[in-house]
């Protein structure tokens, strides 16, 4: 048997040696630079993010005729004042809270006594057992070594007069200069970092166009289009994310402070600021911020009601913010999957500590954007992005290969609900059958998996039609369900669909049949079980206006051309349309071969196939639909009319 004609040869691009190791090597080098250069890179990263946050305000002032230097000074000064005010409020509230802690001692002791159980209870016994084990572990181990035989007993025992001598270490009193140095030294590094961040931010805002041009010249002068898109998208995403996060977290902290103040929790402003700050930590920050107010409510209240109300405040606000406000406010601003957010938080915390946790999401957003536009870093977008990395037809085919028909059916139902039945055929099912046929012809698909894919697809074709018809009838006005049920074409078919060779051609032909019958076009699909002579006899009996040959690549042209010759020899005047489903590449050679074999036309999809229907078939379908609708309405009126007595 001759080899099937390959309409669509695949060009394989040879890989360079070590090409797969390049991303890994780049990742290791960049990670090392970020780790060992963190003392310089952390202030620089903070400055970049702060400049993203303040740049819209600077541009707004510039549009009001403010000079660049004055607008930058105003925004940086305003940011410094806000941060200084928050630090001052936090420190004052914290000192007040620390001073009032002894007042809550009695309440804490009373609540702990309520939690105690009787000495014979299980909890008390378990705690006593744990304490005894701890005492045994804490005992010092004394090595037992045999004494030498020749030594006298007095040499092995300490003398009676030897007693341990207590040693008191007195630290010298600090001078005022030494005391000042002890207080100022721990603050030097934070003050230096803060000063560097303010200075970097001021310079970046003052010379942002010049810095942008220098980065473009350094990174991608030869690809201005790609580089510009990377910078614009990264800046827009990060700027929008920071603004929205600041607004959302600030509002969250304000509501927390108001609610705790209304409940009577002391130092409500401190907990509000703490909630705003800690909520920048993904997922865990809000609950860490909730732990201290809940513990304080436990300490100051005489019963448990205040604890419950405090926990309810955080629970309601977090659920509302995370599930309603954040999806609406952020939208697709980050472009990161939830798993990527967690991984980024762990990675940047390992690199840069607490500040890395704060910068994790904005920095990873930049990496995702870079991976979206630069092929060498595409793995970043694939691993961290929130966009599907596999087309729907590949996901559907993978589910069928895994014998997971339920999830495949769910994907099909969702797609039908959003795009319609024919889009499911065109975009999903036909490409899946094409993939299966290619794998089968290349011996990459076993007979068992091939059978499962074909049977599952056939079942989905039948079930999707029933569901689509049911949804159509449920949305139709009263009295139209009968018309829909009676709307199936009747009489001799005007269209005959013939599969070119195997079962895959027949299943795709069934999709064409469903599309035609939904338009009230009378059609009939022949099966692959029929011999070619039987196919010719059936076509002779039906005398259709058009015959469709359903042919699915890769071995489409060979079998379709053979069938075209047989039909053309038997029926010289018959219109024969060959459907090469989703044929790609150079079609001219295959089209010429099919036309020479007797085909009237060659199409590649459902839309073009339906457009090739003769006008008379469409007129007949319209007349049939109108007649059936009139009959159904008349029958409805007759059945609803009151009977004569």
């Amino acid at each position: 048997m001759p080899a099937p004609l390959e309409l669509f040869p695949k060009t394989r691009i040879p890989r360079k040696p070590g090409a797969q190791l390049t991303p890994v090597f780049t990742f290791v080098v960049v990670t090392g630079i970020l780790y060992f250069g963190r003392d310089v890179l952390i202030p620089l990263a903070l400055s970049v993010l702060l400049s993203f946050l303040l740049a819209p305000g600077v541009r707004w002032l510039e549009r009001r005729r403010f000079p660049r230097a004055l607008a930058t000074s105003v925004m940086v000064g305003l940011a410094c004042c806000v941060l200084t005010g928050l630090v001052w409020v936090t420190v004052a509230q914290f000192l007040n809270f620390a001073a009032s802690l002894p007042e809550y001692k009695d309440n804490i002791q009373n609540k702990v006594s309520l939690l105690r159980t009787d000495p014979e209870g299980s909890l008390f016994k378990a705690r006593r057992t744990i304490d005894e084990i701890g005492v045994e572990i804490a005992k010092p181990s004394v090595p037992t070594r045999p004494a030498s035989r020749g030594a006298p007993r007095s040499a092995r025992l300490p003398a009676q007069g030897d007693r341990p001598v207590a040693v008191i270490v007195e630290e010298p009193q600090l001078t005022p200069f030494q005391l000042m140095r002890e207080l100022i030294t721990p603050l030097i590094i934070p003050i230096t970092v803060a000063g560097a961040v303010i200075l970097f931010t001021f310079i970046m805002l003052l010379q942002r166009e010049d810095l942008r041009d220098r980065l473009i010249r350094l990174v991608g002068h030869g690809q201005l289009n790609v580089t510009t898109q990377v910078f614009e998208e990264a800046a827009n995403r990060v700027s929008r994310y920071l603004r929205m996060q600041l607004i959302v977290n600030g509002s969250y902290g304000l509501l927390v402070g108001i609610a705790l103040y209304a409940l009577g929790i002391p130092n409500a402003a401190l907990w509000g600021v703490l909630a705003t700050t800690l909520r920048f930590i993904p997922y865990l920050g809000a609950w860490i911020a909730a732990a201290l107010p809940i513990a304080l409510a436990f300490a100051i209240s005489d019963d448990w009601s205040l604890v419950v109300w405090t926990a309810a405040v955080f629970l309601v606000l977090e659920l509302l913010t995370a599930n309603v406000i954040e999806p609406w406010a952020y939208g697709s601003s980050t472009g990161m999957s939830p798993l990527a957010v967690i991984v980024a938080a762990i990675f940047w915390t390992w690199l840069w500590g607490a500040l890395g946790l704060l910068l994790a999401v904005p920095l990873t957003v930049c990496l995702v954007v870079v991976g979206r536009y630069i092929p060498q870093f595409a793995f970043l977008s694939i691993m961290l992005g929130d966009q599907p990395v596999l087309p729907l037809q590949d996901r559907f085919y993978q589910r069928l290969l895994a014998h997971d028909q339920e999830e495949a059916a769910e994907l099909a139902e969702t797609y039908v609900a959003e795009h319609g039945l024919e889009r499911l055929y065109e975009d999903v099912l036909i490409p899946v059958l094409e993939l299966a046929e290619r794998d089968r012809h290349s011996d990459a698909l076993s007979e068992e998996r091939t059978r499962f894919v074909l049977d599952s697809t056939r079942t989905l074709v039948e079930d999707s039609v029933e569901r689509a018809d049911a949804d159509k009838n449920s949305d139709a006005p009263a009295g139209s369900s009968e018309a829909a049920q009676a709307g199936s074409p009747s009489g001799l078919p005007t269209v005959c669909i013939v599969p070119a060779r195997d079962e895959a051609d027949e299943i795709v032909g069934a999709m064409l049949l469903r599309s035609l019958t939904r338009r009230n076009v009378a059609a009939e699909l022949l099966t692959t079980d029929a011999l070619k002579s039987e196919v010719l006899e059936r076509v002779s009996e039906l005398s259709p206006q058009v015959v469709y040959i359903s042919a699915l690549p890769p071995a489409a042209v060979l079998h379709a051309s053979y069938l075209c010759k047989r039909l053309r020899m038997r029926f010289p005047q018959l219109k024969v349309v060959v459907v090469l489903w989703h044929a790609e590449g150079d079609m001219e050679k295959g089209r010429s071969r099919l036309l020479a074999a007797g085909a009237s036309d060659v199409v590649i999809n459902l839309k073009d196939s339906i457009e090739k229907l003769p006008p008379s078939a469409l007129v007949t379908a319209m007349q049939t639909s109108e007649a059936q609708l009139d009959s159904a309405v008349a029958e409805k009126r007759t059945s609803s009319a009151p009977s004569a007595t």
Side-chain angles (χ1 to χ4, degrees):
M1 180 178 177
L5 177 64
E6 277 289 345
L7 271 181
F8 328 104
K10 294 184 178 180
T11 302
R12 297 184 178 179
I13 302 175
R15 291 180 175 270
K16 295 181 179 180
Q20 296 180 350
L21 298 178
T22 302
V24 178
F25 178 76
T26 304
F27 175 78
V28 172
V29 171
V30 172
T31 302
I33 294 174
L34 291 174
Y35 182 78
F36 291 106
R38 59 186 179 273
D39 293 337
V40 176
L41 295 177
I42 288 177
L44 192 60
L46 287 172
S47 304
V48 171
L49 297 182
L50 192 58
S51 64
F52 280 150
L53 187 62
L54 299 180
V58 174
R59 287 194 293 266
W60 184 84
L61 290 176
E62 288 178 351
R63 287 194 293 268
R64 269 69 183 172
R65 305 295 179 87
F66 277 69
R68 169 68 63 85
L70 181 59
T72 303
S73 302
V74 169
M75 291 305 302
V76 173
L78 182 62
C80 292
C81 292
V82 171
L83 293 176
T84 304
L86 290 176
V87 171
W88 181 81
V89 170
T90 303
V91 172
Q93 291 285 311
F94 183 78
L95 293 177
N96 187 9
F97 170 69
S100 60
L101 276 179
E103 302 176 4
Y104 312 136
K105 180 180 178 180
D106 295 336
N107 280 333
I108 296 175
Q109 291 177 345
N110 293 333
K111 283 194 171 57
V112 171
S113 64
L114 291 176
L115 295 177
R116 291 175 180 170
T117 58
D118 59 301
E120 301 301 326
S122 301
L123 184 61
F124 182 83
K125 292 180 180 179
R127 189 181 65 182
R128 184 176 59 189
T129 303
I130 294 174
D131 292 341
E132 292 174 356
I133 294 174
V135 171
E136 290 295 329
I137 294 175
K139 286 182 177 180
S141 59
V142 179
T144 59
R145 292 185 302 175
S148 83
R149 294 181 179 180
R153 178 176 297 271
S154 59
R156 298 195 299 268
L157 295 176
Q160 294 292 332
D162 295 341
R163 297 294 181 187
V165 179
V167 178
I168 300 176
V169 178
E170 294 185 357
E171 296 183 357
Q173 188 175 4
L174 297 177
T175 63
F177 178 76
Q178 292 174 335
L179 181 62
M180 185 178 298
R181 186 180 62 184
E182 291 291 333
L183 294 175
I184 294 178
T185 301
L187 300 177
I188 290 178
I189 295 179
I191 292 175
T192 304
V193 173
V197 169
I198 294 173
L199 182 60
F200 284 158
T201 304
F202 184 84
I203 295 175
M204 289 178 183
L205 291 173
L206 191 64
Q207 300 180 351
R208 57 181 184 272
E209 287 86 1
D210 181 66
L211 291 175
R212 179 198 61 199
D213 296 341
R214 293 179 183 276
L215 285 175
I216 291 176
R217 180 65 180 86
L218 179 65
V219 177
H221 179 256
Q223 296 179 341
L224 286 176
N225 181 32
V226 174
T227 309
T228 302
Q229 292 183 56
V230 170
F231 281 126
E232 286 185 355
E233 184 172 348
N236 291 336
R237 284 183 180 271
V238 173
S239 180
R240 173 178 169 79
Y241 172 76
L242 291 176
R243 290 198 306 270
M244 290 295 100
Q245 194 177 43
L246 184 61
I247 293 173
V248 170
N249 293 350
S251 303
Y252 180 89
L254 180 63
L255 292 176
V256 166
I258 294 174
L260 295 182
Y261 179 80
L263 291 176
I265 301 295
N267 308 105
L270 173 63
W271 312 127
V273 174
L274 193 64
T276 299
T277 304
L278 291 178
R279 209 176 179 282
F280 283 92
I281 301 175
Y283 298 111
L284 298 178
W287 306 113
I288 296 174
L292 290 177
I294 293 174
L296 184 59
F298 173 82
I300 66 175
S301 62
D302 297 330
D303 53 13
W304 296 92
S305 60
L306 188 59
V307 178
V308 174
W309 279 107
T310 305
V313 166
F314 283 93
L315 181 63
V316 171
L317 286 178
E318 182 61 24
L319 291 177
L320 183 64
T321 304
N323 298 301
V324 178
I325 298 177
E326 284 184 340
W328 171 79
Y330 293 163
S332 58
S333 60
T334 61
M336 294 173 57
S337 64
L339 180 62
V341 174
I342 299 176
V343 173
I346 296 173
F347 175 76
W348 289 105
T349 304
W350 169 69
L351 276 180
W352 290 353
L355 289 176
L357 182 60
L358 182 64
L359 301 172
V361 174
L363 292 176
T364 311
V365 167
C366 297
L367 295 179
V368 171
V369 174
V370 169
R372 188 170 299 172
Y373 288 97
I374 301 178
Q376 291 81 358
F377 298 98
F379 70 96
L380 294 174
S381 179
I382 294 174
M383 298 299 297
L384 303 176
D386 60 350
Q387 298 297 322
V389 295
L390 287 178
L392 181 60
Q393 60 266 26
D394 291 347
R395 294 166 57 199
F396 191 91
Y397 184 45
Q398 190 273 332
R399 289 293 84 205
L400 292 183
L401 292 178
H403 290 73
D404 190 351
Q405 190 174 5
E406 294 182 358
E407 186 174 346
E410 291 178 1
L411 293 174
E413 292 175 5
T414 304
Y415 200 80
V416 169
E418 295 178 357
H419 302 93
L421 185 61
E422 292 185 4
R423 288 288 301 276
L424 173 69
Y425 293 160
E426 199 76 72
D427 300 340
V428 181
L429 297 186
I430 296 177
V432 164
L433 288 175
E434 184 181 357
L435 290 172
E437 282 293 287
R438 291 185 182 279
D439 289 345
R440 185 175 69 86
H441 280 275
S442 61
D443 295 331
L445 196 62
S446 65
E447 185 64 28
E448 177 189 0
R449 292 183 185 273
T450 302
R451 173 50 46 197
F452 185 84
V453 170
L454 295 178
D455 292 344
S456 300
T457 308
R458 185 188 293 275
T459 302
L460 286 171
V461 171
E462 297 172 356
D463 292 347
S464 61
V465 172
E466 295 176 359
R467 292 192 182 94
D469 291 339
D471 295 341
K472 183 178 179 181
N473 294 339
S474 64
D475 296 337
S480 62
S481 59
E482 292 84 353
Q485 294 173 1
S488 58
S490 60
L492 290 176
T494 59
V495 175
C496 184
I497 304 172
V498 182
R501 178 178 173 82
D502 53 23
E503 189 175 354
D505 300 329
E506 181 183 339
I507 295 174
V508 185
M511 301 178 199
L512 177 58
L513 175 68
R514 301 297 187 271
S515 302
L516 292 174
T517 53
R518 286 170 61 84
R519 290 171 170 81
N520 290 313
V521 176
E524 180 175 322
L525 172 65
L526 304 184
T527 65
T528 55
D529 297 333
L531 300 175
K532 292 297 183 286
S533 58
E534 295 175 349
V535 169
L536 296 177
E537 291 299 328
R538 185 55 181 166
V539 171
S540 178
E541 293 175 4
L542 297 176
S543 298
Q545 299 181 18
V546 60
V547 171
Y548 287 98
I549 298 178
S550 174
L552 191 67
V557 174
L558 178 64
H559 304 302
S561 61
Y562 172 74
L563 194 54
C564 280
K565 291 178 181 179
R566 298 289 299 271
L567 288 171
R568 184 57 64 201
M569 291 175 59
R570 181 74 177 271
F571 310 102
Q573 304 300 323
L574 181 62
K575 183 176 182 179
V576 179
V577 178
V578 178
V579 189
L580 295 177
W581 298 106
H582 288 201
E584 299 175 354
D586 187 9
M587 281 285 297
E588 291 303 321
K589 185 176 179 180
R591 182 187 296 272
S592 301
R593 181 173 178 178
L594 290 170
L595 293 177
S600 305
D601 208 337
V602 179
V603 294
I604 62 173
N605 53 43
L606 280 174
K607 180 182 178 182
D608 295 341
S609 303
I610 296 171
E611 290 178 354
K612 296 302 178 181
L613 282 172
S616 57
L618 294 175
V619 171
T620 303
M622 293 177 61
Q623 292 174 349
T624 303
S625 178
E626 292 175 359
Q628 291 172 345
L629 181 60
D630 293 340
S631 175
V633 172
E635 184 180 353
K636 181 68 176 181
R637 290 176 180 174
T638 303
S639 61
S640 60
S643 60
T645 57

